[in-house]
Amino acid sequence: MSNHLFDLVRANLPADPAAKVFLETGEGARTTYADLIVRSGAYAAALVAAGVKPGDRVAVQAEKSPEFLFLYLGAVRAGAVFLPLNTAYTPPEIAYFLGDAEPALFVCDPAKHEALAPVAAAAGVPVLHTLDARGHGTLAQAAASQAQAFADVARGPGDLAAILYTSGTTGRSKGAMLSHENLASNARTLAQSWRFTADDVLLHALPVFHTHGLFVATNTVLSTGGTMLFLPRFDPAQVLALMPRATAMMGVPTFYTRLLKEPGLTPEVTAGIRLFVSGSAPLLAETHRDWEARTGHAILERYGMTETNMNTSNPYEGARVAGTVGPALPGVGVRVVDPDSGAVLGTDAVGMIEVKGPNVFQGYWRMPEKTAAEFKADGFFITGDLGKIDADGYVHIVGRGKDLIITGGYNVYPKEVENEIDALPGVVESAVIGLAHADFGEGVTAVVVGREGVPDEATILRTLEGRLARYKCPKRVLFVDELPRNTMGKVQKNVLRQTHAGLYGAGRA
Ligand code: AMP
């Protein structure tokens, strides 16, 4: 049967079925492409046996492992909608996602089973399975007992393959619905634009619950029959040690700033790499220059988002310009418009970035009004990013219209953190902002107006820890008498950012 996304993998299998998918990470190491077909099929069969039907959501909060990828591919082959969740999410956060997505199956880490079983039950999830970082758990067992080869469930280009939740400006996360063709078209485009082949070995240290690690990195490699050094997390020393065995690396800017601190980063260590890619947050021009000076490689910066996959990329051949995200990828329309009038702006004029193409998602899960509000009548999606296009067609991102904070490559919407702080006793109001931070890019910072009885900084930080994913928790809490406001009563976060710019000792990015 034709299964649009998985057919892309099948059509590009390496000539030698014994070719490796993974070279590293313990028990999944040295898995071949022949194994990938068998194991993903076993997961697909286990999902069907658990009652998962075409179109059903399969929600997964599990650690990165080769088995995680087989589960993802198994869900695609079973015609289900894969729904990965950040491993940092707390049980109250998971409750929201399960309630909203109504999955037919939820897969969690065995260590979290006790805490999450009542959450899944309260959300009405019919089946709960487990999978750990070593690829063990009840789902792995169920997959191991599937004897037959799996016949892929038929899925067309427009059918959903995945839902990835983004953070919500009003505190509600939105599920971005991604079709088989959204993912397949982007994998094809990136593989061609970045010249991936079956000879490549990608150093993969990104998380796999996010579009960057799951789709940009993994789909690009799997659609070309390449190999991955699949690391559970980013560890600079380990990454450096493995670099001589790789031909490419994809990372967030924090990877590059951290590696630059390692004395072992030399031209010799990076000699076998043909491509370094950066994305998910702005790469400082300074980092781009420092990297080139230290290694001789110009980092290729690209721009995308959960909803759109990748939109622009600096060229493989040609100038990789520091501080820009390059021209639109083939087949993708990118324009800059006046946010008020909607008029398309010319060269170098700053406005709202809008995109259109086979990469752009199908809309927000069960939010038709929100979806309608984010798309123009001619099909362009309003990204929320502010930028300009220069005379050479290169896109420059100058700011974020949506007030997003990006810390270590993760997005934090201030509103969600403010809501938690405002609920504490003695808090009058709060404003959460991102301040330049040498390590994280931006450090989440809370500015709080308190009255009698307001908890001190340490108590607020401790209280938030159990309620919010760690990366969303502020690094510092500052107390002020009142928040600066404009005449319309809106809090002026730009003023707060200027006032506290040097808090973490880094200059403004
Ligand atoms: P996410 O949905 O988590 O991938 O986050 C998408 C957002 O990350 C975009 O809307 C941009 O604001 C930001 N982003 C991604 N790549 C870049 C980049 N190369 N430079 C600046 N911002 C970026």
Side-chain angles (χ1 to χ4, degrees):
M1 284 279 199
S2 169
N3 180 291
H4 191 67
L5 181 56
F6 198 69
D7 285 352
L8 183 65
V9 179
R10 285 191 188 278
N12 293 286
L13 287 173
D16 177 5
K20 306 289 187 290
V21 183
F22 304 111
L23 290 183
E24 225 38 59
T25 69
E27 301 184 15
R30 305 192 175 276
T31 309
T32 65
Y33 268 86
D35 296 331
L36 174 136
I37 299 287
V38 172
R39 304 266 282 280
S40 61
Y43 274 97
L47 296 183
V48 172
V52 173
K53 298 189 180 52
D56 281 351
R57 277 74 57 210
V58 172
V60 181
Q61 188 191 37
E63 297 295 330
K64 181 177 177 181
S65 70
E67 299 291 312
F68 183 106
L69 272 199
F70 300 144
L71 171 56
Y72 154 56
L73 296 172
V76 169
R77 294 179 63 183
V81 180
F82 190 65
L83 197 165
L85 292 163
N86 192 321
T87 47
Y89 285 145
T90 60
E93 289 169 318
I94 294 292
Y96 166 73
F97 296 113
L98 298 184
D100 190 56
E102 297 186 302
L105 171 70
F106 176 45
V107 184
C108 72
D109 193 282
K112 294 183 181 167
H113 184 269
E114 199 180 325
L116 289 172
V119 173
V125 180
V127 187
L128 178 62
H129 264 307
T130 61
L131 188 68
D132 72 10
R134 294 163 61 217
H136 298 172
T138 58
L139 187 61
Q141 278 162 20
S145 67
Q146 305 295 325
Q148 306 278 318
F150 186 80
D152 297 348
V153 172
R155 292 276 100 177
D159 288 318
L160 291 192
I163 293 178
L164 260 59
Y165 275 84
T166 65
S167 306
T169 37
T170 53
R172 267 198 84 189
S173 284
K174 306 184 291 288
M177 300 190 288
L178 296 154
S179 70
H180 278 240
E181 176 62 0
N182 290 152
L183 302 180
S185 70
N186 221 231
R188 284 194 304 264
T189 302
L190 296 180
Q192 277 166 20
S193 300
W194 298 343
R195 312 282 192 271
F196 270 82
T197 71
D199 294 332
D200 272 305
V201 178
L202 179 77
L203 195 41
H204 189 308
L206 292 159
V208 283
F209 49 73
H210 185 266
T211 185
H212 195 165
L214 186 60
F215 300 141
V216 182
T218 307
N219 282 351
T220 300
V221 171
L222 295 183
S223 67
T224 48
T227 301
M228 290 182 273
L229 285 156
F230 207 59
L231 308 182
R233 66 192 60 78
F234 176 76
D235 172 59
Q238 188 185 24
V239 164
L240 272 188
L242 292 173
M243 210 169 267
R245 294 169 62 193
T247 64
M249 186 178 92
M250 296 184 194
V252 294
T254 313
F255 284 18
Y256 295 100
T257 52
R258 290 202 180 160
L259 285 168
L260 278 165
K261 290 189 185 139
E262 297 286 319
L265 180 74
T266 60
E268 291 72 41
V269 161
T270 57
I273 302 272
R274 64 169 188 84
L275 181 63
F276 286 105
V277 180
S278 176
S280 291
L283 182 79
L284 294 181
E286 184 191 344
T287 310
H288 191 281
R289 283 192 293 270
D290 289 352
W291 190 266
E292 191 158 11
R294 277 280 285 283
T295 68
H297 291 275
I299 299 171
L300 181 152
E301 185 171 8
R302 92 310 181 267
Y303 158 62
M305 58 198 302
T306 302
E307 289 95 326
T308 64
N309 297 286
M310 299 305 103
N311 300 313
T312 75
S313 170
N314 271 279
Y316 188 77
E317 278 137 18
R320 297 179 193 167
V321 181
T324 85
V325 293
L329 282 160
V332 181
V334 178
R335 68 186 184 191
V336 171
V337 307
D338 182 312
D340 299 322
S341 70
V344 178
L345 299 174
T347 304
D348 283 334
V350 172
M352 177 62 71
I353 299 174
E354 297 184 345
V355 298
K356 184 179 178 179
N359 53 312
V360 177
F361 75 137
Q362 307 300 299
Y364 293 112
W365 171 254
R366 290 184 180 164
M367 287 187 175
E369 289 92 25
K370 186 77 195 156
T371 302
E374 304 286 333
F375 278 92
K376 292 288 184 62
D378 59 1
F380 273 83
F381 172 66
I382 306 166
T383 63
D385 291 313
L386 301 172
K388 62 178 187 176
I389 303 176
D390 68 20
D392 297 322
Y394 282 51
V395 175
H396 302 236
I397 298 174
V398 299
R400 296 187 296 272
K402 291 176 181 168
D403 232 353
L404 186 70
I405 299 170
I406 302 186
T407 180
Y410 292 126
N411 292 351
V412 177
Y413 280 90
K415 193 78 199 155
E416 194 183 357
V417 186
E418 288 161 6
N419 286 345
E420 290 292 339
I421 296 174
D422 292 349
L424 300 175
V427 172
V428 176
E429 61 174 346
S430 64
V432 168
I433 53 173
L435 295 177
H437 190 295
D439 203 13
F440 291 95
E442 288 185 304
V444 179
T445 310
V447 184
V448 172
V449 180
R451 53 176 172 262
E452 222 188 323
V454 67
D456 63 11
E457 179 175 17
T459 310
I460 293 182
L461 293 177
R462 224 179 17 251
T463 313
L464 292 179
E465 250 177 35
R467 302 192 182 165
L468 292 168
R470 184 170 286 273
Y471 70 88
K472 295 181 194 169
C473 290
K475 307 227 171 306
R476 290 290 314 272
V477 178
L478 310 174
F479 293 92
V480 294
D481 290 336
E482 59 179 3
L483 296 174
R485 284 193 147 78
N486 68 12
T487 47
M488 301 300 289
K490 286 190 198 300
V491 175
Q492 293 168 302
K493 290 195 168 176
N494 53 335
V495 174
L496 285 174
R497 285 189 207 106
Q498 276 161 18
T499 310
H500 303 290
L503 187 67
Y504 302 111
R508 283 291 311 154

